[in-house]
Amino acid sequence: MVFIDCLATLSGSSFLIKCKTMMNRTRILPILLILFHIFPGAIFCQQPFKVGVVLSGGGAKGYAHVGALKIIEEAGIRIDYIAGASMGAIIGGLYASGWTASELDSILRTMDMSALLQDPIPRDIVPFFNKIYGEKYALSLSVQDSKINLPVALSDGQMAFNLLSQLTARVAYERDFSKLPIPFFCTGTDVASGEGVILEHGSLPLAIRASGSFPGLLAPVEINNRLIADGGIINNFPAKELKNKGVDLVIGVNVESDLFEKQELNSVEKIIMQISSFQMTQKSAEQYLYCDLLICPNIYGYGITNFEAVDTLINRGSHAAMTIWDQLQEVAEKQRQAAPVQHPSPANFKENWTIDTVVIAPNPVYTQANILRNFPAKIPGEITSNEFFRGIVNLYGTGNFRFVDYHFEKNDDDDQQMLFIKPRLKPGYDRTFKVGLHYDDEYRSGLLLNATLLNLGFKNSITSIDLILGDQFRYEFHYYIDRGTKPGFGINSRLHLNDVNFGLQKDIVLPDSSKLGSLVFDLFDFSNEIYTHLVTSNDYAIGVGAELKYYKFTTDQVSGGLEELGLFNDRGMYLTGSLFYKHDDRDRRYFATNGMQVNLQARMIYEFPFWSNQETSGKMGYNIDLFFQNLIPITERLTGGFRANAGLNFNRQMAPYRYFLGGNNLNVINNFKQFHGLRFAEKTGSDLASASIFGQYRILKSHYVTLSANAAYLKRSSDGEPESFYSGSIGYGLDTPLGPIEVTYARFNGGDSFYFNLGYWF
């Protein structure tokens, strides 16, 4: 008893004869003889000629796979199965989901993979508290059981996973990779056991993200309770496994590097790569035996992280495939002569998704309501793809999770669409140790040590303690209770010490007839503040506060007569009430290219008489201060900007809030203001108006040149006379993981100045 599918060809056209008859072999033989007599050229029971493609791992070198796939397509070959490891899994998985080679070419050329691997958090989702106080650390480590947890890789891979999820969204509900538009599988490595695994079921983006988890670069991910890392560790070229899927011909594309010669092993990176490549090279050599055609692009001189060479690597993949163009066409011809194969067409991408059910794995940090609050649209319900991924980034951006795992499923019984979210907590998520480094001309060297604790005393609270060690000791303490859309409360305490080289309006003539043009003042500022954010978002805060401040600005270089020199000798205790509006929606804190920054404060200041040496003691004073900056992108590389400061003191000029102008510093307190051309705090006055127009141009990926024109009007504190200042400056900046490195030269109508700073400002 048999079932027959026969394909007959007649006069250049074909038709399918399907014989679905239950009969014994003796009864069907006469029918076959008659058909063969009528159609002597007929070919019966013709089978499809299936072609599989296997793509090796190789990091950035895997970009060459796209070039090879383009030529395979152009030759007319239908790919019936595709497999890969590491970067080959990523390219292969995307291809299997329905992207063409040309479309992948466009995607890779517009993607900044190096930036993606750093898990960049868009600044507009950073909580406002972190924008004000948190963007100054070069290194952050979690602490668990009194032990520091070192990161398992450079990147958690969250943003890479999000991108892969976006690119495979049209097959999001398919859990069987053999049912994708092109059947697919990839390899992985069980980190615990060292076993190789085949990934062909489950979440497609998670599988290819796991296979691409290059050790040290991307953290491994958990799949079915197994910790899975780079598939290339055990099986970087799964040709045999692909052959076993029933394909008739295997085309291999290999971008593995040859082993280094002895004289080439001159760096740690190369030695590590050499050691890790021994087993891989031997295993892949065995896998070559299962390839009928092999394409080996010339990737000499390129490493796993040369993502910037996308054009060259894709072109080299195309060039290598062209060397076997004739053989590729022969394969295509065999497919045309054989039975056709129908693969399911990829679904059209839908911008609007309907999620009927949300299932969230339990975790001790967030309830389901708190997690769903991160999504811009209400779910379950209808949500756009952009809103969904925005919600995932918001959740990851809290800093409590090392990875936010999610996938979609569809219930075949009632067509319900379900979303599963499994946030994976960071070990020691609520205890963090942070470090920062900085050097500038005024504060000199500084080492910043920070401890950040979550949920201390109150839920959703942040406790941050900064100790700054170096030439000038300082500390800052911040405690803030974040209540979401409700008013939040905070306490700040700060000790700020510095020696200020303050310029004199006229020289002091010393007994030996020498002249002294400046004095060194001791700045001591100890402030304690309570405040509430009445209205807040990620971009702004409106609130009120009260501050108790002890302030000293004195010198011991001369005794008496400071008033005659136009100087002052300030010491006092002050109580300040303030109303403030703070806004920051810049895309970056340093070298920003877009956005606005505003800091508006109205202060009412009372000076306690028993602490003060000033005639203003026991009096009230008022200060209004405004800082405004706007950045506008002109071209992809050029940014224009405008910056302004304005401030007035009324009734009484209170010492802590008089204006000090000059320098390049950004870690200023009270009413210290930056002005290129003057030394730090070189000029002082009661009222200020200043403006700067500047242009910033990015000449390389992380290199910037800035030109600015600056003007300021200052009403002197000593005699109320106005002074005007003008300057122009040119600066060069380099953006690094440790913070900005900047060199600035300014020409002032009274001279010139040179500034240098390294690291985040604090």
Side-chain angles (χ1 to χ4, degrees):
M1 310 292 285
V2 296
F3 171 84
I4 302 174
D5 278 358
C6 298
L7 178 67
T9 304
L10 177 65
S11 302
S13 62
S14 64
F15 63 92
L16 186 66
I17 300 176
K18 293 187 176 180
C19 306
K20 300 181 180 179
T21 308
M22 304 298 292
M23 58 184 66
N24 59 39
R25 296 179 184 274
T26 58
R27 293 179 58 189
I28 204 170
L29 182 59
I31 297 176
L32 295 176
L33 292 173
I34 293 172
L35 288 173
F36 183 76
H37 179 74
I38 297 174
F39 306 114
I43 303 174
F44 295 102
C45 304
Q46 185 175 357
Q47 297 297 314
F49 187 77
K50 294 184 178 181
V51 175
V53 173
V54 57
L55 308 176
S56 77
K61 297 174 292 182
Y63 285 175
H65 291 320
V66 174
L69 289 172
K70 289 172 68 175
I71 301 304
I72 292 172
E73 284 183 352
E74 291 175 13
I77 292 175
R78 179 194 66 245
I79 299 177
D80 299 300
Y81 224 116
I82 192 165
S86 197
M87 181 59 82
I90 295 173
I91 300 297
L94 295 178
Y95 193 83
S97 71
W99 295 99
T100 66
S102 294
E103 289 170 333
L104 289 177
D105 182 303
S106 299
I107 290 170
L108 293 182
R109 292 178 191 272
T110 57
M111 183 176 16
D112 188 347
M113 184 64 75
S114 297
L116 191 69
L117 291 177
Q118 298 177 30
D119 277 330
I121 302 298
R123 195 168 184 266
D124 59 345
I125 74 165
V126 175
F128 196 72
F129 178 88
N130 290 343
K131 285 184 178 180
I132 300 175
Y133 303 116
E135 297 178 323
K136 54 188 175 184
Y137 307 108
L139 178 65
S140 178
L141 300 171
S142 61
V143 179
Q144 186 179 32
D145 298 328
S146 302
K147 297 180 181 179
I148 293 178
N149 292 305
L150 296 176
V152 298
L154 176 67
S155 169
D156 291 329
Q158 183 68 53
M159 297 306 163
F161 176 57
N162 290 350
L163 177 62
L164 294 173
S165 296
Q166 287 178 284
L167 294 175
T168 59
R170 47 188 164 183
V171 293
Y173 295 106
E174 185 55 71
R175 309 290 290 170
D176 184 349
F177 301 169
S178 68
K179 295 180 180 179
L180 293 171
I182 298 175
F184 168 76
F185 73 85
C186 61
T187 62
T189 301
D190 187 323
V191 178
S193 67
E195 296 176 342
V197 296
I198 298 296
L199 303 172
E200 52 188 346
H201 295 92
S203 165
L204 176 63
L206 189 63
I208 58 181
R209 159 68 183 82
S211 185
S213 300
F214 188 86
L217 190 62
L218 280 175
V221 297
E222 188 175 323
I223 298 178
N224 297 328
N225 295 320
R226 303 178 78 178
L227 195 60
I228 306 299
D230 196 319
I233 298 172
I234 299 298
N235 191 352
N236 198 46
F237 198 61
K240 177 182 178 181
E241 291 76 9
L242 179 60
K243 192 76 171 182
N244 291 339
K245 293 296 183 181
V247 298
D248 299 290
L249 182 141
V250 174
I251 301 173
V253 186
N254 179 32
V255 294
E256 294 178 5
S257 299
D258 295 331
L259 294 175
F260 292 111
E261 298 293 334
K262 178 181 177 181
Q263 60 273 17
E264 295 178 299
L265 295 171
N266 52 14
S267 69
V268 173
E269 178 186 11
K270 289 183 177 180
I271 291 175
I272 293 175
M273 290 178 61
Q274 184 88 334
I275 294 173
S276 63
S277 297
F278 289 144
Q279 181 179 355
M280 182 187 302
T281 302
Q282 180 181 356
K283 177 75 173 179
S284 295
E286 298 170 358
Q287 294 278 26
Y288 294 160
L289 300 175
Y290 297 92
C291 294
D292 300 280
L293 294 175
L294 190 60
I295 300 170
C296 296
N298 177 15
I299 43 78
Y300 180 79
Y302 293 93
I304 59 173
T305 58
N306 288 132
F307 298 107
E308 73 285 351
V310 54
D311 294 340
T312 300
L313 291 167
I314 290 177
N315 291 337
R316 291 194 176 190
S318 298
H319 178 76
M322 283 298 298
T323 61
I324 59 168
W325 175 257
D326 293 341
Q327 293 96 313
L328 294 175
Q329 287 191 311
E330 290 175 5
V331 173
E333 182 60 28
K334 287 182 180 180
Q335 285 188 317
R336 285 191 290 269
Q337 292 177 357
V341 175
Q342 295 296 327
H343 293 297
S345 299
N348 293 325
F349 177 79
K350 294 182 179 179
E351 177 63 31
N352 295 325
W353 301 348
T354 300
I355 299 174
D356 299 298
T357 305
V358 179
V359 180
I360 298 176
N363 70 88
V365 179
Y366 287 107
T367 64
Q368 177 159 322
N370 286 335
I371 286 180
L372 296 183
R373 189 184 299 156
N374 288 277
F375 292 87
K378 184 178 180 180
I379 55 174
E382 188 170 286
I383 188 171
T384 68
S385 62
N386 287 337
E387 288 172 336
F388 172 78
F389 289 111
R390 175 63 177 232
I392 295 296
V393 174
N394 286 346
L395 190 57
Y396 177 73
T398 63
N400 294 327
F401 304 104
R402 58 180 173 84
F403 191 71
V404 180
D405 186 4
Y406 55 89
H407 70 272
F408 299 89
E409 292 185 18
K410 184 177 289 187
N411 191 324
D412 294 333
D413 295 334
D414 53 13
D415 206 35
Q416 289 282 300
Q417 301 178 85
M418 297 178 289
L419 166 64
F420 294 81
I421 302 177
K422 188 174 183 178
R424 303 183 187 275
L425 282 173
K426 284 183 178 179
Y429 70 93
D430 56 346
R431 302 289 185 269
T432 308
F433 174 71
K434 303 177 183 179
V435 178
L437 295 169
H438 182 79
Y439 176 86
D440 67 79
D441 300 315
E442 187 59 36
Y443 287 89
R444 303 296 180 180
S445 58
L447 171 65
L448 171 61
L449 303 178
N450 169 270
T452 299
L453 312 176
L454 302 181
N455 305 321
L456 182 64
F458 292 90
K459 191 174 182 179
N460 298 323
S461 67
I462 304 172
T463 305
S464 175
I465 305 170
D466 285 342
L467 291 179
I468 302 169
L469 310 177
D471 293 279
Q472 303 291 345
F473 174 78
R474 287 167 282 155
Y475 90 83
E476 290 189 15
F477 169 83
H478 304 285
Y479 183 82
Y480 182 68
I481 302 174
D482 186 356
R483 303 179 68 229
T485 57
K486 299 179 181 179
F489 299 94
I491 300 172
N492 293 338
S493 179
R494 180 191 71 216
L495 174 63
H496 191 102
L497 305 176
N498 196 15
D499 295 326
V500 179
N501 192 345
F502 189 79
L504 304 176
Q505 293 182 23
K506 58 182 180 179
D507 293 341
I508 298 176
V509 180
L510 300 177
D512 60 359
S513 299
S514 62
K515 295 181 179 180
L516 187 64
S518 64
L519 294 175
V520 176
F521 279 75
D522 176 26
L523 171 62
F524 183 100
D525 186 287
F526 180 51
S527 301
N528 297 276
E529 177 190 23
I530 59 172
Y531 65 93
T532 179
H533 286 166
L534 301 174
V535 182
T536 185
S537 75
N538 289 342
D539 292 337
Y540 67 89
I542 301 174
V544 295
E547 181 182 63
L548 183 64
K549 177 191 295 286
Y550 177 73
Y551 177 84
K552 184 177 71 171
F553 192 84
T554 61
T555 181
D556 57 5
Q557 284 187 285
V558 297
S559 58
L562 292 182
E563 293 78 7
E564 298 176 3
L565 299 171
L567 298 177
F568 29 79
N569 189 9
D570 297 322
R571 182 185 292 106
M573 182 77 75
Y574 302 86
L575 179 63
T576 302
S578 64
L579 172 66
F580 58 82
Y581 169 70
K582 300 178 181 181
H583 182 105
D584 188 351
D585 63 1
R586 296 173 295 169
D587 56 347
R588 308 170 68 188
R589 182 179 181 186
Y590 300 100
F591 308 113
T593 61
N594 192 17
M596 183 173 64
Q597 183 183 9
V598 179
N599 191 347
L600 174 62
Q601 295 197 70
R603 302 181 178 104
M604 181 174 63
I605 311 122
Y606 174 76
E607 185 173 10
F608 290 100
F610 52 85
W611 282 93
S612 176
N613 62 352
Q614 303 296 314
E615 61 180 17
T616 56
S617 62
K619 306 293 185 180
M620 297 292 298
Y622 306 91
N623 171 247
I624 297 178
D625 182 71
L626 170 67
F627 171 81
F628 173 82
Q629 178 177 253
N630 192 34
L631 298 149
I632 301 173
I634 299 173
T635 68
E636 182 181 357
R637 293 178 176 269
L638 179 62
T639 300
F642 173 76
R643 184 187 303 117
N645 286 282
L648 296 172
N649 280 288
F650 302 97
N651 194 37
R652 304 286 183 183
Q653 177 184 285
M654 297 299 181
Y657 301 106
R658 64 164 53 96
Y659 286 91
F660 290 90
L661 190 64
N664 188 45
N665 293 56
L666 295 181
N667 59 332
V668 291
I669 61 170
N670 302 336
N671 285 342
F672 285 75
K673 303 295 182 180
Q674 180 192 74
F675 190 84
H676 290 165
L678 296 172
R679 297 190 309 274
F680 175 70
E682 182 176 351
K683 300 294 182 178
T684 184
S686 60
D687 302 326
L688 171 70
S690 68
S692 299
I693 299 175
F694 59 91
Q696 173 185 279
Y697 187 78
R698 179 170 58 85
I699 53 176
L700 294 172
K701 183 178 181 180
S702 302
H703 299 254
Y704 299 84
V705 172
T706 303
L707 294 173
S708 71
N710 318 291
Y713 165 89
L714 187 67
K715 185 178 179 181
R716 288 201 298 253
S717 299
S718 56
D719 54 15
E721 293 297 316
E723 286 188 278
S724 298
F725 311 98
Y726 307 94
S727 72
S729 66
I730 180 170
Y732 162 78
L734 174 63
D735 193 14
T736 77
L738 295 177
I741 299 175
E742 295 177 295
V743 179
T744 305
Y745 171 77
R747 183 66 182 175
F748 167 57
N749 56 334
D752 53 12
S753 297
F754 181 85
Y755 311 98
F756 173 77
N757 61 273
L758 181 153
Y760 297 114
W761 289 93
F762 50 76

